Amino acid sequence: NLPKFDEYNYDETVLRTLETNAFCYIIEGDETSGKNAYKGITNFMNTLNYNPSEGKGKNYHDASHILFTAAEIYDWCYPLMSAAEKTAFIEAGQRLMSILDWGYPVNLEDHSMVTGAASSTMLLVDLFSFAIATYDENSDLYNYLSAVIKQKNMTARNYWYKSGKYMSGSSYGALRAYSDSWLYWMLDNALGVK
């Protein structure tokens, strides 16, 4: 359990430990580690306190990274979880999504998917990973994101890539290229979408 403080209680060490437990389950079949991982990440998502003094950016990035780690744990530990545990897990993830710019239910109508925050790791990697992992129980999130990404992001990106240049320059270029690479890898290798 994360300590219940009135202040920000995000703990990267706890997050890495939960991820490691899930990895031990998927690689070694250690069910105790797997159960600790999914129960721990559900608790982590439910007991996380946000810190307004850290600014929106830090809270957003931490919350989205938790969603990515949660997606790994959900995917790897899926066979161990009951239907009720899966529901509780997804609801905890939705709680985290609600603090992001696009909220929950996710609404990307007013967000640029070409150069804005919706074109970076938070959405294209972290949130989309959560959507893929939870698809069987929560297909609406994946269906919405994949349609918007295809319409608003991929169309513009595929056109721009023909120029041989990258639209974000040196400040955000590396981060956005990283996000694009992850997104296209997930679509191509994990889902078979070209």
Side-chain angles (χ1 to χ4, degrees), residues 106 108 113 118 123-124 127-132 135 138-155 158 183-184 186-188 191 193-194:
V106 176
L108 295 166
M113 301 256 337
L123 187 122
L124 300 180
L127 187 56
F128 197 59
S129 295
F130 193 87
I132 291 169
Y135 178 83
N138 189 29
S139 62
D140 289 349
L141 179 61
Y142 171 83
N143 291 336
Y144 176 76
L145 287 177
S146 62
V148 172
I149 287 168
K150 183 177 181 182
Q151 176 191 19
K152 288 185 161 188
N153 179 287
M154 293 175 75
T155 302
N158 288 338
L183 173 67
Y184 281 80
M186 286 188 293
L187 289 170
D188 185 26
L191 302 172
V193 176
K194 298 288 180 190

Side-chain angles (χ1 to χ4, degrees), residues 104-142:
Y104 189 83
V106 176
N107 182 348
L108 295 166
E109 291 303 314
D110 297 328
H111 296 276
S112 170
M113 301 256 337
V114 178
T115 60
S119 68
S120 68
T121 307
M122 288 189 294
L123 187 122
L124 300 180
V125 178
D126 300 340
L127 187 56
F128 197 59
S129 295
F130 193 87
I132 291 169
T134 61
Y135 178 83
D136 288 343
E137 290 73 31
N138 189 29
S139 62
D140 289 349
L141 179 61
Y142 171 83

Side-chain angles (χ1 to χ4, degrees), residues 1 17-26 29-44 73-74 76-82 85-86 89:
N1 289 353
T17 300
L18 297 172
E19 182 182 42
T20 301
N21 281 330
F23 190 74
C24 286
Y25 168 68
I26 196 70
D30 181 349
E31 290 189 11
T32 300
S33 291
K35 289 176 182 176
N36 287 339
Y38 74 76
K39 289 177 180 180
I41 195 69
T42 303
N43 179 272
F44 193 101
I73 293 170
Y74 192 86
W76 297 343
C77 299
Y78 189 86
L80 296 175
M81 299 170 75
S82 70
E85 288 168 328
K86 291 172 187 172
F89 188 102

Side-chain angles (χ1 to χ4, degrees), residues 58-70:
K58 172 119 175 83
N59 291 325
Y60 289 171
H61 287 285
D62 289 347
S64 72
H65 185 66
I66 294 165
L67 288 170
F68 177 79
T69 304

